[in-house]
Amino acid sequence: MEIVYVYVKKRSEFGKQCNFSDRQAELSIDIAPNPELAALYVERNPVDTGIQCSASMSEHEANTERFEMENCGVNHVEGGWPKDVNPLELEQTIRFRKKVEKDENYISTIVQLGSIMEHCIKQNNAIDIYEEYFNDEDDVEVTEEAPSAKTINVFRDPQEIKRTATHLSWHPDGNKKLAVAYSCLNFQRAPMGMSHDSYIWDLENPNQPELALKPPSPLVTLEYNPKDSHVLLGGCYNGQIACWDTRKGSLVAELSTIEFSHQDPVYGTIWLQSKTGTECFSASTDGQVMWWDIRKLSEPTEVVIMDISRKGQLENALGAISLEFESTLPTKFMVGTEQGIVISCNRKAKTPAEKIVCTFSGHHGPIYALQRNPFYPKNFLTVGDWTARIWSEDSRESSIMWTRYHMAYLTDGAWSPVRPAVFFTTKMDGTLDIWDLVFKQCDPALSLKVCDDALFCLRVQDTGCLIACGSQLGTTTLLEVSSSLSTLQRNEKNIASSIFERETRREKILEARHREMRLKEKGKVEGEDDGQKEEEGALDLNELVAKAEEEFFEIVFSELRRKDAEAMKKKPKSVRTSSFEACGRTGL
Amino acid sequence: MIPIRTTLDNSTTVQYAGLLHQLTMKAKSTVRDIDPQNDLTFLRIRSKKHEIMVAPDKEYLLIVIQNPCE
């Protein structure tokens, strides 16, 4: 039912002057109350409502405009001298001082103030009131505060065309600076005029980056040299490796030649522990891992191809997306690939075939993050597709622990450098998850929505309190975690190691059982195809499935037949007993 | 604020005098604000490294910097 009022005007009267007139109120429509509708409602008696006699207030938040700050110093000059005295002239100042000292007022004041002061000084000398009295009692404060994290600062990409913040690196000394690599990872969809610059930000000044680094092609990764904080290594989108010295400026100090560089964007670069502090290695999706010495970037010192069939063929190689290197295990390194396999390699192997030690597969998609636990290097964390998994080097068949499948892709992850059981992950929906294995293993201890766009990378500062995460629109957010997540809990190391060991043992037991079952199956099918081992494996599986199906249907049909037969026989008896018997016998 | 007598070097004295004078004024006005009949007699600032004691007067200021006995 619509209430409609139609205004009618003749076409010839358009544009005529309006003559308004008053008229009586006209009733357009009268809708009487319909008592039948009341039947749909039930009267509530008594009604509970809270009222309060107080001033009603409303809360409103407003964000102020970001103000630009500038640091400058002021030079103070001594002042306050009377007009006739020149402060620079020693004679005049001495004369003035002597004059004041002779003043009666001065003398009496000094005596009085002196006595007060003496009293306090004597107090200080007698007792140190701020002494630590109960030093031997340890703070057994079990801070049960809820884990929390708050945003401290946000660094936005000053460019107009926003690029994704793809990699972050903290300054090695003091952690007051953050280097962020910006690039557009969508293949060939980088908009025209997108700047190639990446920035170094000073944490105190979020308005302007401290230094801009200008590479020939956008940087996908950027790392500070842990030995020399002025040197940075960057991996470019076009496969080149570039090196900067911040003392020399924003232009590239060294650049690798394009013929010998990678053929795909360089996704991982890490500095190596070497005496000279100039060695590094890089990995890219073209399937190669190259070692470089930054003094001579024209050619890599070594190249390893990520071919798991150990033949060294580039065509079969798996694209590397993440790289891992722990300075305590200098000959081993791990590569996370686009195909979801982690390859563990030994650098010191003699032949290229031996370089690849073993593989771990378990992810369905590219492994975006790979990191060993800083306290227990045998266990490492991988982040890819929708889960994060923890692996143990001993258990090669599967990961020892994994998170459930999330709603959004996980893009990056890292262990906390201070707590062995805590790790962080970022997701495509802009949330940062903090997992605490000691506290809860099925859900993150804290899940924060950092921003509306996807988070791409994450880096934890060495103290474990600050986390920086970079998003798709180039916004880097700096978060501070609560102290409960960044201080080592009592007994945590033992608990964490026992968790890992227990899970590893469980996986080993499962692995052993699987192997036993497979051996049994192989033993049964022994007479047939001996040579083609792989096909045999597949056949076995199909056979097993077919057998299982057959058996299942047999059982079902035999039961049905039996039930029918019984029903026919025991028709006069009640239906209940026969079905009960049937159920009882099959144990359904 | 003009330093009359000091045991430290001139620039340090000038710095201490200027800064502490302002702080004393602020402390004095705070005490007076809370209770107009009250007045500041002594100001002690204890920091990690030493304790600064200030005895204010109408015209003059006596500042002592002491190392605590730790």
Side-chain angles (χ1 to χ4, degrees), chain B residues 32-64:
Chain B
R32 280 330 247 297
D33 276 347
I34 293 172
D35 181 7
Q37 319 293 45
N38 211 347
D39 195 10
L40 179 71
T41 49
F42 201 78
L43 184 62
R44 267 202 220 189
I45 302 167
R46 194 164 179 116
S47 73
K48 259 199 280 193
K49 297 192 181 164
H50 32 240
E51 176 157 346
I52 305 171
M53 292 173 279
V54 181
D57 185 66
K58 269 199 304 308
E59 292 165 25
Y60 303 98
L61 204 59
L62 178 61
I63 303 171
V64 174

Side-chain angles (χ1 to χ4, degrees), chain A residues 500-523:
Chain A
F500 292 138
E501 276 169 33
R502 182 186 68 220
E503 299 299 325
T504 317
R505 234 179 335 171
R506 176 180 62 89
E507 278 304 318
K508 282 220 184 104
I509 292 174
L510 282 174
E511 225 178 291
R513 268 216 79 210
H514 278 143
R515 240 180 288 144
E516 268 179 43
M517 282 167 49
R518 260 181 281 147
L519 281 171
K520 253 199 256 172
E521 285 302 320
K522 273 198 184 155

Side-chain angles (χ1 to χ4, degrees), chain A residues 37-191:
Chain A
L37 291 176
L40 298 170
Y41 295 89
V42 174
E43 191 178 312
R44 182 202 282 186
N45 194 0
V47 177
D48 249 312
T49 0
I51 42 171
Q52 184 177 285
C53 181
S54 69
S56 74
M57 293 187 278
S58 77
E59 187 184 314
H60 182 71
E61 274 176 23
N63 212 2
T64 55
E65 285 266 329
R66 276 210 307 180
F67 55 93
E68 298 271 337
M69 287 186 288
E70 210 184 285
N71 277 336
C72 54
V74 181
N75 199 12
H76 284 281
V77 179
E78 196 176 317
W81 292 96
K83 283 195 196 130
D84 50 350
V85 178
N86 184 359
L88 302 168
E89 284 254 343
L90 206 55
E91 260 189 48
Q92 290 188 12
T93 53
I94 291 178
R95 211 190 316 145
F96 180 78
R97 286 198 178 112
K98 288 224 172 97
K99 193 177 77 173
V100 171
E101 280 177 8
K102 297 221 175 77
D103 187 14
E104 254 188 53
N105 192 11
Y106 174 78
I107 294 170
S108 59
T109 316
I110 287 292
V111 168
Q112 187 210 358
L113 292 182
S115 59
I116 302 174
M117 188 62 84
E118 221 185 304
H119 176 71
C120 289
I121 292 176
K122 282 184 182 160
Q123 266 183 353
N124 269 355
N125 287 336
I127 279 180
D128 176 16
I129 62 171
Y130 295 105
E131 183 190 313
E132 281 285 336
Y133 289 107
F134 304 106
N135 250 335
D136 36 356
E137 268 185 39
D138 281 327
D139 294 87
V140 196
E141 288 173 43
V142 185
T143 41
E144 291 291 346
E145 56 172 272
S148 65
K150 59 174 199 269
T151 315
I152 300 187
N153 231 332
V154 176
F155 302 95
R156 285 178 223 279
D157 187 4
Q159 296 285 331
E160 288 203 0
I161 303 177
K162 302 286 176 199
R163 305 148 304 161
T164 314
T166 47
H167 201 86
L168 297 162
S169 171
W170 287 95
H171 187 103
D173 312 312
N175 292 319
K176 284 285 167 214
K177 298 200 209 172
L178 191 58
V180 188
Y182 295 94
S183 60
C184 179
L185 286 178
N186 289 329
F187 182 60
Q188 287 186 350
R189 252 183 268 157

Side-chain angles (χ1 to χ4, degrees), chain A residues 559 562-563 566 570 575-588:
Chain A
E559 269 311 305
R562 218 164 45 79
K563 259 211 249 176
E566 279 187 13
K570 297 171 183 178
V575 186
R576 232 189 286 151
T577 37
S578 68
S579 62
F580 181 80
E581 269 184 58
C583 285
R585 259 177 238 164
T586 55
L588 280 167

